[in-house]
Each structure stands twice: as structure tokens, then as C-alpha cells.
């Protein structure tokens, strides 16, 4: 992430650094948003016969959002934290 330079890094550079994005969204004719997500972790669950009684989550989520204009990075955000898991 530290290698990304706003106004200089191209989408080809990004693909070389991180591979293809998780998602691409067209914002306008010359802008698009790319999103990369990395999750790693474990979930330990205990339950009874019919229901989960406890769940322990450990891990990490990394998210990189990149805004490109005419194929060049104009802004990006990078976040790290614990993944969000929903209990059903």
C-alpha cells in the first residue's frame, strides 16, 4: 500500500502489486472504484443440539478501496481490523 502514489500509480501498477480486485464499480465515464478485501481468521463455535451457544472469532480483515480517474489513482483508503461476523 505504501507504494501507491496518488496522481502517478496506474491501474496496471495496481494489478501488478495486488492482482485483480475483488470488485470494480464504474463511477462515471472516466472514474472507477476498485476494492480489495483480505480476510484471515478462525471461528470456534460451541452449541447444543439445536442452537449455537457461544462463538469466538479471531482474525484480521484488510480492505483497500482505490479511486481511479483515467486509469490513474486519485485517492485510496486502507483499513485493518477484525472481520465482522454475523450470528444467525
Amino acid at each position: 500500500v505504501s507504494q501507491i502514489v496518488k496522481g502517478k500509480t496506474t491501474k496496471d501498477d495496481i494489478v501488478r502489486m495486488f492482482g485483480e480486485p475483488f470488485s470494480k464499480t464504474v463511477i462515471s465515464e472516466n472514474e472507477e472504484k476498485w476494492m480489495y478485501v483480505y480476510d484471515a481468521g478462525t471461528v470456534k463455535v460451541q452449541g447444543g443440539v439445536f442452537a449455537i451457544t457461544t462463538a469466538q472469532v479471531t482474525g484480521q480483515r484488510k480492505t483497500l478501496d482505490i479511486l481511479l480517474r483515467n486509469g490513474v489513482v486519485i485517492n485510496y483508503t486502507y483499513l485493518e481490523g477484525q472481520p465482522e461476523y454475523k450470528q444467525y
Side-chain angles (χ1 to χ4, degrees), residues 1 15 18 22 26 29 33 39 43 45-46 50 58 61 69 78 84 88:
V1 175
V15 170
F18 305 106
F22 173 76
V26 175
E29 184 177 308
K33 177 183 171 185
D39 282 323
V43 177
V45 178
Q46 284 186 315
F50 297 105
T58 59
R61 168 174 274 185
R69 182 179 295 142
Y78 176 68
E84 295 178 21
Y88 298 97

Side-chain angles (χ1 to χ4, degrees), residues 1-10 17 72-74 76:
V1 175
S2 62
Q3 298 171 337
I4 300 173
V5 178
K6 295 176 186 178
K8 184 175 180 181
T9 304
T10 67
M17 288 182 222
V72 177
V73 175
I74 61 168
Y76 69 92

Side-chain angles (χ1 to χ4, degrees), residues 4-68:
I4 300 173
V5 178
K6 295 176 186 178
K8 184 175 180 181
T9 304
T10 67
K11 64 182 181 180
D12 291 337
D13 296 331
I14 296 295
V15 170
R16 276 193 290 280
M17 288 182 222
F18 305 106
E20 288 296 322
F22 173 76
S23 69
K24 294 180 182 181
T25 304
V26 175
I27 305 297
S28 68
E29 184 177 308
N30 61 349
E31 290 184 344
E32 56 186 323
K33 177 183 171 185
W34 287 12
M35 181 175 172
Y36 290 86
V37 178
Y38 170 79
D39 282 323
T42 59
V43 177
K44 294 180 183 178
V45 178
Q46 284 186 315
V49 176
F50 297 105
I52 295 173
T53 56
T54 61
Q56 179 184 10
V57 178
T58 59
Q60 186 176 43
R61 168 174 274 185
K62 299 177 183 180
T63 305
L64 175 62
D65 289 315
I66 301 171
L67 182 60
L68 299 146

